Amino acid sequence: MFALVDCNNFYVSCERAFNPALEGRPVIVLSNNDGCAVARSNEAKALGIGMGAPLFQIRDIVKRHDVAVLSSNYALYGDMSARVMSILSEAAPAAEVYSIDEAFLDLRGMDRARREAFGQELRARVRRWTGIPVSIGVAPTKTLAKMANHYAKKTPALEGVLDLEDLRWRERALHKFPVGEVWGVGRRLNKRLEAMGIRTAAQLRDAHPKMIRQNFNVTLERTVRELGGQSVIALEEAAAARQSIAVTRTFGEKVTEYAAVSEAVATFAARAAEKLRRQNLLAGAVLAFIQTNRHTPQDAQYARSITVTLPEARDDSYTVLTAAREGLDAIWRDGFRYQKAGVMLLGLVGARQFQRSLFASPPVAGSAQLMGVIDHLNQRMGRGAVRFGAEGVAAQSGQWRMRQERRSPAYTTRWSELPCVAA
DNA sequence: TCTGGGGTCCTAGGACCC
DNA sequence: TCTGGGGTCCTAGGACCC
């Protein structure tokens, strides 16, 4: 049996944990650049604010109902996530941290009665220790546990926990569950399935796996089997090796100048290299891309990416930054209003298991030590305390930097922003 | 008219997830 | 005027190998 533990409205719950005045009010948290609503409290959902709704389209609702609007605060959410996950990992013999706000637990060998108590107890513990409310779905496959979790979250009478071992209950749940809500069925598949007359999870389960594989793909075939109670997606305790690292941003304002885009790309490259070193990896290639605003087709459009292969896998900022700028120069075109740029690192290998090249010149002497010092300083004194000249000076070139107008304090990760409690 | 079998690697595009 | 960011997997087609 698997349990899926999912934090309710996670980003909003993190904000509420430190600002109780947000309790009972409609609250939304915005994406980077204060663009879209990416987390909504139940009150905000009830007002009809959709997932991913652009802020400028919901201004009226926000004003009329006094919705609390917050910029995203990833330092806070990341730290709160780590706290929740450590509690969950200790609670079960095996756990898979599936996303920032979800984990699968292995409940093998636990009988029905014990699972019941376990679920309620775990929920209470996470709430008490972190302030975060969670819902728990239990079932013999991950896909069914996901479905159970949906019901646990939306049906108050269940008190946050639903166990679908019982076949009659599972059958009822499957019949009511829209196929588009099934884990692994997105917008496109939903449309194609509905066109075939498959509208519920039960109908998808009853489809022939072979037919599904022929008309769709293996992944959906696995989903069919999982809905039928056959567990084919295993719990993955150890995180798989990372394949890529990306740093991409939408600009605060549209940008037309090469100098500004170049600064942005350099900043993303340096940040990506920092992530690379933190994960003890080396990159074999650097991809850079730029694009105009796809939402305004009446404007001239341009989008290109380029991959620059390094002679030898590296992790120093200088190499990554140089490659990214070389790439940018190759794809740059004057005369467009650019909206977004990014840098991705590909061909990642572990720092101790990479293939040395016969022909690449060796890294600059002292480079590793230099990067160590830069990372250390930036960690202690704040991101960007030490940076490359190519990244520009924030005060002088705000144009491309993202907007974040209502960010809450880094309550748990910065001494100066620690909340004070007066008795 | 007839034209093998078994592979790998790379890239682009499509689909999904949170 | 204002529309996020960071990932994964699968498939098809092209190019190549023996």
Side-chain angles (χ1 to χ4, degrees):
Chain A
M1 295 297 278
F2 297 92
L4 174 67
V5 185
D6 189 319
C7 302
N8 300 348
N9 316 327
F10 183 55
Y11 296 171
V12 168
S13 296
C14 290
E15 300 287 350
R16 280 177 168 168
F18 291 92
N19 183 0
L22 297 173
E23 216 65 63
R25 272 186 74 184
V27 182
I28 60 174
V29 175
L30 301 174
S31 62
N32 268 333
N33 226 22
D34 290 347
C36 306
V38 291
R40 302 106 73 216
S41 69
N42 290 343
E43 298 82 358
K45 287 175 188 171
L47 291 175
I49 298 177
M51 178 63 179
L55 180 60
F56 75 92
Q57 286 178 4
I58 54 173
R59 289 253 188 237
D60 279 359
I61 305 181
V62 166
K63 203 161 182 191
R64 204 168 337 122
H65 296 94
D66 192 27
V67 177
V69 178
L70 296 159
S71 299
S72 37
N73 182 348
Y74 290 107
L76 175 64
Y77 313 148
D79 185 63
M80 292 299 280
S81 171
R83 294 169 190 231
V84 171
M85 295 309 162
S86 84
I87 296 169
L88 299 184
S89 301
E90 276 176 25
E96 172 188 346
V97 176
Y98 176 66
S99 75
I100 193 165
D101 71 336
E102 287 170 71
F104 286 102
L105 305 182
D106 183 353
L107 300 191
R108 200 180 329 204
M110 208 184 272
D111 65 34
R112 182 80 191 272
R114 261 186 68 211
R115 287 200 306 268
E116 172 81 41
F118 172 85
Q120 288 301 342
E121 212 278 320
L122 183 58
R123 224 178 133 239
R125 189 186 310 162
V126 174
R127 184 69 195 245
R128 193 162 57 239
W129 291 3
T130 67
I132 304 291
V134 301
S135 301
I136 304 179
V138 179
T141 73
K142 282 172 141 186
T143 305
L144 288 171
K146 272 277 205 182
M147 181 179 76
N149 189 284
H150 270 256
Y151 285 109
K153 194 168 289 181
K154 307 242 158 96
T155 318
L158 296 171
E159 296 184 323
V161 184
L162 176 61
D163 190 319
L164 283 184
E165 185 188 38
D166 184 278
L167 279 173
R168 278 169 315 157
W169 283 105
R170 195 192 300 169
E171 203 55 31
R172 284 182 59 176
L174 283 163
H175 273 94
K176 277 200 308 183
F177 206 59
V179 76
E181 305 271 296
V182 171
W183 189 41
V185 178
R187 237 188 19 246
R188 304 291 180 101
L189 286 177
N190 184 30
K191 221 170 186 177
R192 290 177 58 194
L193 287 168
E194 283 192 346
M196 299 171 67
I198 297 177
R199 293 191 172 74
T200 66
Q203 287 173 313
L204 180 57
R205 175 205 54 193
D206 293 336
H208 274 285
K210 291 274 178 297
M211 180 280 280
I212 291 292
R213 178 163 197 159
Q214 279 190 345
N215 287 277
F216 299 90
N217 55 42
V218 209
T219 335
L220 193 61
E221 182 194 353
R222 287 191 197 122
T223 300
V224 171
R225 296 188 188 281
E226 285 249 321
L227 288 173
Q230 180 189 353
S231 177
V232 292
I233 305 176
L235 191 85
E236 311 208 0
E237 276 191 86
R242 197 172 270 325
Q243 319 261 332
S244 64
I245 287 175
V247 178
T248 71
R249 288 288 178 281
T250 296
F251 301 142
E253 297 165 33
K254 304 289 173 287
V255 177
T256 54
E257 298 298 310
Y258 169 81
V261 175
S262 168
E263 238 180 61
V265 166
T267 304
F268 303 159
R271 176 82 189 107
E274 193 185 316
K275 286 189 182 181
L276 191 62
R277 292 190 291 272
R278 179 174 278 242
Q279 298 179 46
N280 262 307
L281 297 169
L282 302 171
V286 178
L287 178 149
F289 75 83
I290 47 177
Q291 65 185 44
T292 50
N293 186 359
R294 288 165 315 162
H295 298 289
T296 52
Q298 64 274 19
D299 293 347
Q301 295 289 311
Y302 181 71
R304 255 191 90 180
S305 74
I306 188 170
T307 303
V308 178
T309 304
L310 303 176
E312 187 174 78
R314 290 281 164 78
D315 71 353
D316 66 285
S317 301
Y318 177 74
T319 301
V320 171
L321 206 145
T322 307
R325 291 234 290 175
E326 190 186 312
L328 174 64
D329 290 349
I331 59 177
W332 174 262
R333 293 287 177 277
D334 277 319
F336 293 98
R337 300 177 72 229
Y338 291 101
Q339 186 216 21
K340 184 176 180 177
V343 171
M344 292 193 219
L345 304 180
L346 314 169
L348 304 187
V349 292
R352 342 201 78 196
Q353 40 144 44
F354 87 108
Q355 179 64 50
R356 181 127 254 163
S357 161
L358 258 180
F359 305 108
S361 45
V364 178
S367 160
Q369 290 88 333
L370 177 60
M371 291 306 133
V373 171
I374 291 176
D375 291 344
H376 180 69
L377 286 172
N378 283 337
Q379 205 192 338
R380 274 198 62 162
M381 314 190 57
R383 191 167 291 161
V386 182
R387 55 182 180 268
F388 284 77
E391 295 179 59
V393 182
Q396 286 170 15
S397 57
Q399 201 191 16
W400 61 269
R401 284 169 208 279
M402 70 179 174
R403 284 190 302 268
Q404 271 212 318
E405 282 160 12
R406 316 149 199 260
R407 197 174 63 206
S408 52
Y411 296 112
T412 61
T413 52
R414 192 170 296 170
W415 288 111
S416 60
E417 298 179 13
L418 211 59
C420 292
V421 179

